[in-house]
Amino acid sequence: MSVQTVLGAIAPDQLGITLPHEHIYMDASALRCPASIGEDRGEAPFDFCNLHWIQQHPFGHRSNLQLYKEVDTIKEELCSFRKAGGGTVVENSSIGLHRNVKALQQISLDSGVNVICGTGFYVDSFHSKETKSMSEEQLAEVMRRELEEGVDGTGIRCGIIGEIGCSWPITESEVRVLRAAATVQASLHCPIIVHPGRHHDAPFQIVRLLQESGADLHKTVMSHIDRTLFEKNQLLEFAKLGCYLEYDLFGLEILDYELNLNVDMPCDSERIRSIQMLLEEGLVDQLLMSHDIFSWHRLSRFGGHGYSHILQNIVPKMQRRGVPQAAIERMLIHNPRTWLTTCR
Ligand SMILES: CCC(=O)NCCS(=O)(=O)O
């Protein structure tokens, strides 16, 4: 039994507190969308006089989405995460997001935090021409190779498939990727994590597609539940399918969610209440928590919450609200460990 990190395989009990959905080296600037209201400062300098605008329009500012330009800051912030009690970060930057496994290896060495990296492909708009022209079998072969042999001749092996990106409506290329990911997962029994499109039917459709290709739903994480499923009956219906439900946007509090203006992004207190409701329904073994840091404005250096927010602020609030310590430990230690462990 082991978990594959960028520094090699480790025993599952070495993971400790684990953030299952973060980014530490990524360029997401192709996500950039124009401000829905008021002036556009998308190309303005990242400085204090623009900070509130950037906080309100995080997807509208180019540099804000270029995490890969702040490697030293990321290292410092991961050191703080380790000092706060953290052990492991799962880096979800898949192909298309300017992934750099060598940089991840160095960041892990310098910070002392275990880093697990992902294979697979982000959403359609990030698929290259080459990706779009590949068959399901060819896509599967890329993922299998990165899991078993390593990425681009580095020997650095991925420990998960994901994040696999899906749009709403899902595209043909994304369906091929999803099916390929499921077949690889079915043969290697590895963990998989999916970014659903921004619609409440998306997680259900994705799970159907994964199931048709033989995926193990108990090894599957559905990300971004916080901005995708809101109604109690939808959440309970989805949980019955057996996946993990990941509340992974802790710290992201915005008025207008510019990637889908029909969605009201919940605040952290609402995330905690949803998790409490699911705990009361007996779903402690299916819940995961993370921040999905994708931008500068969420790093402490730039006035954000950093990778320690869940440990420093969310856990104490959960305790005040009566969430049992055992449930907190299941969500932060045991569930990620079960998801990430493979029989190799
Ligand atoms: C690339 C990072 C990412 O996909 N973040 C998800 C943001 S959201 O779709 O949940 O808003």
Side-chain angles (χ1 to χ4, degrees):
M1 298 281 210
S2 66
V3 175
Q4 186 66 42
T5 77
V6 293
L7 293 174
I10 61 171
D13 63 7
Q14 285 181 262
L15 293 174
I17 290 175
T18 299
L19 297 174
H21 196 131
E22 301 297 337
H23 298 274
I24 57 187
Y25 192 104
M26 170 177 78
D27 184 359
S29 56
L31 269 183
R32 203 164 78 90
C33 60
S36 56
I37 192 163
E39 64 178 318
D40 195 284
R41 299 195 205 175
E43 302 285 354
F46 194 110
D47 60 22
F48 270 116
C49 59
N50 291 316
L51 188 54
H52 184 254
W53 188 93
I54 293 167
Q55 287 165 343
Q56 290 299 310
H57 307 276
F59 300 103
H61 190 271
R62 184 184 305 280
S63 315
N64 189 39
L65 298 167
Q66 295 179 321
L67 220 44
Y68 73 99
K69 292 189 173 169
E70 284 296 327
V71 169
D72 289 340
T73 307
I74 299 277
K75 280 183 196 169
E76 277 167 35
E77 308 226 347
L78 287 176
C79 286
S80 305
F81 170 64
R82 189 168 47 77
K83 284 187 196 131
T88 302
V89 164
V90 184
E91 220 291 358
N92 276 250
S93 304
S94 46
I95 299 169
L97 284 167
H98 200 61
R99 185 188 54 166
N100 181 337
V101 295
K102 280 255 186 218
L104 295 181
Q105 201 175 48
Q106 196 59 50
I107 291 169
S108 177
L109 276 171
D110 293 346
S111 65
V113 171
N114 301 312
V115 174
I116 294 159
C117 70
T119 182
F121 301 82
Y122 191 54
V123 296
D124 185 287
S125 54
F126 288 67
H127 291 184
S128 64
K129 255 192 175 158
E130 191 198 354
T131 300
K132 288 196 181 200
S133 71
M134 286 164 94
S135 65
E136 220 174 286
E137 292 70 27
Q138 289 169 320
L139 292 163
E141 177 52 21
V142 171
M143 292 184 242
R144 189 208 58 76
R145 202 171 48 236
E146 293 197 347
L147 287 157
E148 296 213 299
E149 295 162 29
V151 177
D152 299 334
T154 58
I156 300 171
R157 288 168 56 185
C158 296
I160 61 158
I161 300 178
E163 61 182 300
I164 296 296
C166 299
S167 312
W168 184 264
I170 197 165
T171 70
E172 277 176 32
S173 191
E174 289 169 345
V175 169
R176 268 200 307 283
V177 168
L178 208 49
R179 290 203 166 117
T183 57
V184 175
Q185 194 224 20
S187 71
L188 300 183
H189 308 287
C190 55
I192 182 169
I193 183 164
V194 185
H195 160 118
R198 298 177 187 90
H199 190 280
H200 53 79
D201 288 337
F204 293 90
Q205 182 191 37
I206 288 164
V207 163
R208 272 196 305 277
L209 288 163
L210 288 172
Q211 265 176 325
E212 281 167 14
S213 295
D216 175 359
L217 297 184
H218 293 102
K219 274 275 187 214
T220 301
V221 174
M222 191 56 64
S223 307
H224 314 324
I225 288 293
D226 11 9
R227 55 90 165 138
T228 315
L229 294 180
F230 299 93
E231 304 299 329
K232 180 174 177 178
N233 55 357
Q234 281 174 345
L235 285 160
L236 297 183
E237 205 50 41
F238 185 68
K240 280 189 201 153
L241 300 172
C243 300
Y244 289 97
L245 280 68
E246 187 179 75
Y247 283 81
D248 54 23
L249 293 161
F250 273 99
L252 183 66
E253 301 206 351
I254 39 176
L255 181 61
D256 287 330
Y257 176 46
E258 291 180 318
L259 298 180
N260 183 346
L261 288 168
N262 295 319
V263 167
D264 284 337
M265 181 62 74
C267 66
D268 282 348
S269 298
E270 290 166 318
R271 292 184 177 102
I272 291 172
R273 280 203 293 275
S274 297
I275 287 177
Q276 276 190 291
M277 180 277 288
L278 294 168
L279 288 173
E280 281 158 19
E281 295 292 331
L283 294 168
V284 66
D285 290 328
Q286 282 177 258
L287 294 170
L288 294 169
M289 295 163 64
S290 210
H291 311 95
D292 188 19
I293 290 188
F294 53 77
S295 58
W296 293 8
H297 90 291
R298 301 181 63 199
L299 299 172
S300 320
R301 161 135 200 243
F302 300 105
H305 52 77
Y307 296 95
S308 309
H309 176 56
I310 289 177
L311 291 179
Q312 286 174 335
N313 304 308
I314 301 301
V315 165
K317 172 141 185 175
M318 284 184 147
Q319 289 165 332
R320 283 198 302 278
R321 288 287 187 263
V323 177
Q325 186 60 25
I328 293 171
E329 287 175 16
R330 283 216 96 67
M331 294 187 284
L332 294 181
I333 302 171
H334 301 268
N335 294 347
R337 185 166 77 196
T338 306
W339 171 55
L340 290 165
T341 300
T342 56
C343 299
R344 281 192 275 168

